């Protein structure tokens, strides 16, 4: 699927938002998409630039992102910044000598930068104690009570200052850093508002505002951790140790990261696999839900692939390691989802742009509210300055900005749990716009493996005799049709005969001597050449061929003995998937390189009305280009090899059966981890649910702000109500976004 890299060059032609162009950016050891365009003319962004991922534990909110962007954006030697807030990673594209000034600049904002090494876990942030916050809360309530009881004014003032000193110093410190860097973030706004309330003598209110704000920040951080852990939970699926065979033949539990390729690993019933590989001895059933989303355990035997993070249900077996711990299918899924989190979805980009305008506008409005009524209309300075302070608290767009990444990440996590690997918020959002879906036939709608469907004896021979003769010749050939005939006989326990003077006849079939008699097993053309065809046989072959079947015939020099029909059978899940897609209002079309007869027969079986056969990869590409237009997105589903150009050109390319296929995971827009097409309607339903929640969150965040803005201007809004509005909205949108984690399609 190397062609897929062209996807993003083409994508702008047909107007769908892919956000940014791809570039290989290390983000927690994965490929992330750049989030920002180059910050200035790339004079210093030559090929000598390096990418450095930096973990910043304090960076998990757009507030910190804006500060860092402002600080680093204009620095010499910095070409590009990419933020992944959910993973707390900032990736900087910079001149090699600029790394120290960059780290120093990050430290000057009060943050602790940590160079991210591959996928090593970050140093955990120490848990903040709750006791100072509880103490501050008690002091703030006591200040309210003292004010209410009309105690001397120094009592509520002292209690309020105690509360602010206990829980608000961090906010003041962050606020000062923000103001120094000319950035109006929530910490700066809160610091101004609380200081203003103190200057106005609103002691209890200033204390309550600071306590409520600190409490909300703490709860929001816990909620965001939950969204973050939706992905981190995947990491826990693979155990840290594996039982590996040593050079002397003994077995020893070893760290999974230290296990080399080709090592032999033993698995007991009930154990979880630590590494990818293929079974060398034994058989079992394995629960692969964590990787493929399949609900039922899968039978596995010698030669079958197994994946890290899956559970061995029954039986024990040994397998040979095919990928190092960091390259397993599970690790690739985690890296892909982490990278997808770092890429802005269209709604998120809109919200970020909106927030940039919204905050300064409300800030200017607050200044006007404080100054104009007292100056022009003789209003009460105290009352209008207080209203302005309430407006400042309302000015923070935190709820709005945080709602989109939480919703997108929850959607990505839900998709991963369903066995769908979505390579970015842009595709998760775009799924709802799909109107056309083109599907490859072989391996997508069908099993991709021919099986014997019909058998008939034509000369009165015994069935077993004819099948034994045919299978004896077929077993010597590696042609898929011959394999299907041989496999069917083997499955039914039919014995093979000795074949002498075996010969392959290219494009026709095979021949050989069995018990001194010459036999042929071949196609219609071979029988024709031997002069053994008849009108009755022609009619019979035509009937089978119109059903999309391939026919081979067994004959000796005098007549045709038997015929065998072979076909690539349709997966049961394909019919149901097509039905569900049609119910969702999506039109389907089949594109295949197979002959038109077969294409039409398979299309009829699965319920697709339009089918095109005899197509080369470039023909599929032309068809997709013809469908792309303003009336909805076009998707292409294929196995990712011969369909690469069409997959790349479609608005969304879906790769089938990506489990174990590194290429498909790295390059598909959406990878279906197993071969079940029913995941497509699930993806579309998830995409629609994600969009609904995004809209709900934007309406909630802005609606709550608007209500309190009006209340304040009418004189009914108080500062602690404004804090409730701000933090309440934040918690509401985070909780709403997290509902997607439990999405059942």
């Amino acid at each position: 699927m190397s062609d897929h890299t062209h996807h993003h060059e083409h994508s702008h032609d047909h107007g769908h938002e892919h956000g940014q162009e791809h570039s290989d950016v290390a983000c927690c050891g994965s490929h992330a998409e750049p989030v920002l365009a180059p910050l200035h003319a790339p004079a210093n962004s030559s090929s000598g630039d390096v990418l450095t991922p930096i973990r910043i534990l304090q960076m998990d909110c757009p507030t910190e992102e804006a500060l860092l962007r402002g600080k680093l954006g204009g620095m010499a030697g910095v070409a590009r910044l990419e933020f992944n807030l959910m993973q707390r990673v900032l990736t900087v594209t910079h001149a090699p000598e600029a790394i120290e000034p960059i780290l120093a600049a990050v430290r000057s904002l009060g943050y602790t930068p940590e160079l991210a090494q591959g996928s090593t876990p970050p140093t955990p942030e120490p848990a903040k104690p709750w006791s100072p916050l509880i103490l501050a809360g008690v002091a703030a309530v006591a200040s309210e009570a003292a004010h209410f009881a009309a105690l001397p004014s120094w009592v509520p003032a002292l209690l309020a200052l105690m509360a602010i000193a206990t829980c608000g110093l961090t906010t003041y410190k962050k606020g000062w850093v923000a103001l120094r860097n000319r950035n109006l973030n929530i910490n700066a706004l809160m610091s101004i508002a609380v200081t203003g309330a103190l200057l106005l003598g609103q002691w209890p209110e200033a204390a309550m505002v600071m306590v409520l704000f600190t409490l909300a920040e703490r709860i929001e951080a816990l909620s965001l951790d939950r969204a973050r852990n939706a992905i981190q939970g995947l990491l826990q699926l693979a155990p840290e140790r594996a039982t590996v065979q040593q050079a002397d033949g003994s077995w020893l539990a070893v760290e999974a990261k230290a296990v080399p390729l080709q090592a032999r690993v033993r698995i007991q019933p009930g154990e979880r696999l630590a590494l990818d590989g293929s079974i060398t001895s034994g058989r079992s059933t394995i629960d692969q839900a964590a990787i493929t989303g399949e609900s039922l355990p899968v039978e596995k035997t010698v030669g079958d692939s197994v994946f890290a993070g899956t559970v061995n249900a029954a039986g024990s077996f040994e397998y040979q390691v095919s990928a190092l711990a960091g390259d397993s299918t599970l690790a690739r899924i985690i890296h892909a989802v982490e990278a997808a989190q770092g890429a802005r979805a269209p709604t998120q980009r809109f919200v970020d742009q909106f927030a940039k305008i919204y905050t300064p506008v409300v800030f200017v409005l607050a200044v006007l509210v404080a100054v104009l009524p007292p100056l022009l209309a003789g209003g009460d300075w105290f009352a209008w300055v207080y209203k302005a302070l309430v407006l400042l608290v309302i000015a923070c767009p935190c709820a709005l900005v945080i709602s989109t990444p939480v919703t997108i990440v929850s959607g990505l996590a839900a998709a991963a749990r369903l066995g769908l690997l979505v390579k970015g918020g842009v595709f998760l959002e775009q799924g709802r716009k799909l109107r056309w879906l083109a599907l490859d036939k072989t391996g997508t709608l069908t099993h991709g493996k021919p099986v014997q469907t019909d058998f008939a004896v034509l000369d009165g021979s015994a069935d077993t005799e004819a099948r034994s003769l045919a299978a004896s010749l077929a077993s010597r050939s590696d042609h898929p049709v011959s394999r299907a005939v041989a496999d069917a006989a083997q499955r039914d326990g039919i014995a093979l005969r000795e074949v002498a003077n075996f010969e392959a006849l290219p494009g026709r079939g095979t021949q050989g001597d069995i018990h001194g008699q010459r036999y042929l097993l071949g196609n219609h053309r071979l029988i024709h050449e031997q002069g053994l065809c008849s009108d009755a046989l022609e009619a019979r072959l035509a009937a089978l061929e119109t059903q999309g079947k391939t026919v081979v015939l067994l004959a000796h020099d005098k007549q045709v003995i038997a015929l065998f029909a072979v076909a690539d059978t349709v997966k049961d899940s394909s019919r149901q998937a097509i039905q569900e897609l049609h119910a969702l209002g999506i039109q389907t079309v089949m594109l295949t390189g197979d002959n038109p007869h077969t294409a039409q027969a398979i299309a009829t079986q699965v319920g697709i009305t339009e089918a095109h056969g005899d197509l080369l990869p470039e023909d599929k590409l032309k068809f997709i280009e013809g469908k792309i237009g303003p009336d909805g997105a076009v998707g292409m589903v294929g196995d990712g090899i011969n369909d690469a150009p069409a997959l790349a050109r479609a608005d969304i390319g879906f790769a089938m059966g990506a489990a174990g296929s590194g290429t498909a995971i790295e390059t598909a827009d959406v990878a279906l981890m197993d071969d079940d097409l029913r995941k497509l309607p699930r993806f579309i339903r998830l995409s629609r649910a994600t969009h609904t929640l995004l809209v709900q969150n934007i309406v909630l965040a802005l609606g709550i702000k608007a209500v309190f803005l009006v209340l304040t201007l009418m004189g009914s809004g108080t500062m602690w109500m404004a804090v409730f509005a701000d933090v309440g909205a934040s918690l509401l949108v985070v909780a709403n976004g997290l509902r997607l984690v439990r999405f059942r399609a």
Side-chain angles (χ1 to χ4, degrees):
M1 262 174 86
S2 59
D3 306 60
H4 203 93
T5 45
H6 300 310
H7 191 157
H8 302 276
E9 294 164 25
H10 295 311
S11 63
H12 302 290
D13 304 349
H14 54 266
H16 78 271
E17 283 196 71
H18 265 56
Q20 307 78 17
E21 295 162 12
H22 274 303
S23 78
D24 294 335
V25 177
C27 179
C28 295
S30 65
H31 298 297
E33 291 190 28
V35 175
L36 290 174
L39 290 152
H40 45 72
N44 60 355
S45 132
S46 66
S47 56
D49 279 357
V50 288
L51 296 175
T52 306
I54 304 169
R55 274 202 184 87
I56 303 169
L57 285 176
Q58 298 88 345
M59 180 186 81
D60 61 0
C61 171
T63 305
E64 290 88 19
E65 179 186 327
L67 257 182
L68 284 159
R69 193 185 291 167
K71 187 77 176 173
L72 303 177
M75 281 181 66
V78 175
R80 194 186 283 259
L81 301 173
E82 291 115 40
F83 291 87
N84 186 337
L85 294 181
M86 295 308 290
Q87 296 303 320
R88 296 175 171 142
V89 172
L90 160 63
T91 305
V92 187
T93 308
H94 61 90
E97 67 279 1
I99 187 62
E100 282 312 318
I102 289 167
L103 294 175
V106 173
R107 287 190 198 100
S108 75
L109 296 172
Y111 303 149
T112 315
E114 196 183 299
L115 291 178
Q117 294 302 320
S119 51
T120 53
T123 313
E125 195 174 13
K128 290 176 186 164
W130 284 86
S131 46
L133 187 53
I134 294 165
L135 196 65
V138 171
V141 171
S143 176
E144 280 282 10
H147 178 71
F148 187 72
L151 294 178
S153 59
W154 63 268
V155 179
L158 185 65
L159 287 165
L161 288 171
M162 268 177 60
I164 291 165
T166 313
C167 75
L169 289 182
T170 312
T171 303
Y172 266 115
K173 204 166 97 184
K174 287 179 177 174
W176 171 241
V177 170
L179 287 170
R180 219 176 56 212
N181 287 279
R182 296 189 297 283
N183 186 302
L184 281 176
N185 68 19
I186 183 62
N187 295 305
L189 296 173
M190 286 304 301
S191 302
I192 295 168
V194 171
T195 307
L198 292 173
L199 292 173
L200 292 174
Q202 299 284 312
W203 304 104
E205 190 154 11
M208 283 305 285
V209 162
M210 190 57 92
V211 169
L212 283 171
F213 173 69
T214 312
L215 176 65
E217 289 264 281
R218 188 73 63 87
I219 296 169
E220 193 178 300
L222 292 173
S223 303
L224 282 174
D225 278 339
R226 193 173 157 212
R228 202 172 275 120
N229 293 341
I231 304 304
Q232 291 303 314
L234 290 169
L235 282 166
Q236 270 74 63
L237 288 175
E240 289 177 10
R241 300 176 79 76
T243 309
V244 181
Q245 190 172 34
Q246 305 302 298
D248 61 359
S250 62
W251 295 86
L252 188 69
V254 177
E255 286 276 323
K257 343 190 239 289
V259 177
L261 289 173
Q262 309 303 316
R264 280 175 83 90
V265 177
R266 179 186 281 169
I267 292 290
Q268 302 299 336
E271 253 189 291
R272 207 177 263 280
L273 280 71
L275 299 142
D276 284 7
S278 60
I279 297 178
T280 51
S281 68
R283 58 188 308 131
S284 184
T285 53
I286 294 183
D287 178 356
Q288 298 194 141
I291 299 293
T292 63
E294 288 166 290
S295 50
L296 295 172
V298 182
E299 288 282 340
K300 297 276 183 175
T301 184
V302 175
D304 288 340
S305 296
V306 290
F307 307 111
T310 57
V311 182
N312 179 27
S316 69
F317 61 89
E318 291 171 19
Y319 70 94
Q320 192 170 45
V321 175
S322 61
L324 298 172
D327 291 329
S328 70
T329 301
L330 179 66
R332 286 171 187 275
I333 291 171
I334 295 162
H335 291 167
V337 177
E338 284 180 352
Q341 291 174 29
R344 294 284 202 273
T347 306
Q348 195 171 344
R349 288 200 301 277
F350 156 74
V351 164
D352 289 350
Q353 293 304 318
F354 179 82
K356 271 186 201 163
I357 301 158
Y358 169 82
T359 308
V361 166
V362 180
F363 187 80
V364 169
L365 181 65
V367 172
L368 295 176
V369 164
V371 176
L372 292 183
L375 282 180
L376 302 179
D380 177 4
W381 278 97
F382 181 96
W384 286 103
V385 169
Y386 179 80
K387 281 180 184 176
L389 293 176
V390 177
L391 275 181
L392 276 188
V393 179
I394 293 172
C396 173
C398 240
L400 181 67
V401 174
I402 208 71
S403 66
T404 39
V406 169
T407 308
I408 294 288
V409 167
S410 301
L412 292 172
R417 214 192 51 253
L418 292 169
L420 280 157
L421 187 54
V422 184
K423 295 299 291 292
V426 61
F427 304 116
L428 187 61
E429 276 201 46
Q430 218 172 7
R432 71 188 177 87
K433 297 180 184 169
L434 276 177
R435 290 291 168 270
W436 270 95
L437 202 55
L439 300 104
D440 177 39
K441 177 184 78 75
T442 312
T444 300
L445 290 161
T446 65
H447 289 100
K449 192 180 172 198
V451 291
Q452 185 178 305
T453 54
D454 300 75
F455 159 66
V457 175
L458 305 176
D459 74 337
S461 303
D463 285 7
T464 312
E465 172 76 9
R467 288 187 69 186
S468 173
L469 292 168
S472 302
L473 286 168
S475 64
R476 301 287 296 273
S477 166
D478 58 2
H479 192 281
V481 175
S482 294
R483 296 266 18 115
V485 172
D487 289 348
Q490 186 186 354
R491 210 170 34 248
D492 295 344
I494 290 170
L496 300 183
R497 318 280 177 91
E498 192 64 46
V499 179
N501 304 321
F502 177 82
E503 190 186 342
L505 307 167
R508 293 170 180 78
T510 59
Q511 64 178 9
D513 297 342
I514 302 173
H515 303 319
Q517 168 78 51
R518 165 61 46 118
Y519 288 98
L520 305 164
L521 180 69
N523 57 18
H524 189 177
R525 182 175 165 188
L526 177 66
I527 301 304
H528 228 300
E529 287 173 0
Q530 298 296 319
L532 300 174
C533 233
S534 67
D535 290 344
L537 184 59
E538 289 274 5
R540 204 155 177 179
L541 293 181
L544 287 166
E545 281 169 358
T546 52
Q547 293 170 35
K549 295 172 181 177
T550 303
V551 184
V552 286
L553 304 113
L554 174 72
H556 48 57
D557 49 10
K558 295 194 176 63
Q559 71 180 108
V560 176
I561 303 165
L563 66 79
F564 301 82
V566 168
D568 184 3
T569 53
V570 168
K571 297 174 196 165
D572 292 335
S573 57
S574 298
R575 291 186 193 90
Q576 194 186 332
I578 298 300
Q579 219 170 357
E580 287 182 39
L581 286 167
H582 289 167
L584 289 166
I586 289 158
Q587 291 175 276
T588 54
V589 58
M590 186 213 284
L591 307 178
T592 179
D594 215 329
N595 70 68
H597 276 316
T598 306
Q600 198 51 60
I602 298 289
T604 306
Q605 280 182 54
V606 294
I608 292 178
T609 46
E610 189 180 341
H612 299 272
D614 279 340
L615 299 182
L616 294 168
E618 51 266 35
D619 299 325
K620 293 184 182 182
L621 172 62
K622 280 199 193 97
F623 183 87
I624 293 289
E625 284 178 334
K627 287 292 179 198
I628 285 170
D631 56 340
V634 177
M636 171 73 194
V637 191
D639 55 13
I641 312 302
N642 57 345
D643 304 314
L647 282 167
R649 188 66 178 93
D651 293 313
I652 307 180
F654 297 88
M656 293 290 293
S661 158
T663 323
I665 290 178
E666 298 295 337
T667 53
D669 297 329
V670 180
L672 280 63
M673 299 312 291
D674 64 0
D675 290 326
D676 189 344
L677 275 178
R678 286 173 300 190
K679 286 190 168 43
L680 290 171
R682 277 179 207 158
F683 167 74
I684 290 154
R685 284 194 286 268
L686 175 63
S687 173
R688 290 179 183 180
T690 304
H691 179 72
T692 303
L693 283 189
L694 282 169
V695 171
Q696 282 175 8
N697 280 348
I698 290 168
V699 170
L700 270 174
L702 289 177
I704 291 169
K705 296 274 183 201
V707 168
F708 280 87
L709 200 68
V710 172
L711 284 175
T712 305
L713 294 174
M714 285 168 61
S716 308
T718 63
M719 204 179 295
W720 66 265
M721 278 166 65
V723 172
F724 262 133
D726 179 62
V727 300
S730 288
L731 295 177
L732 206 57
V733 297
V734 167
N736 195 34
L738 282 171
R739 285 196 303 143
L740 268 186
V741 173
R742 294 186 300 277
F743 181 82
R744 291 269 177 273

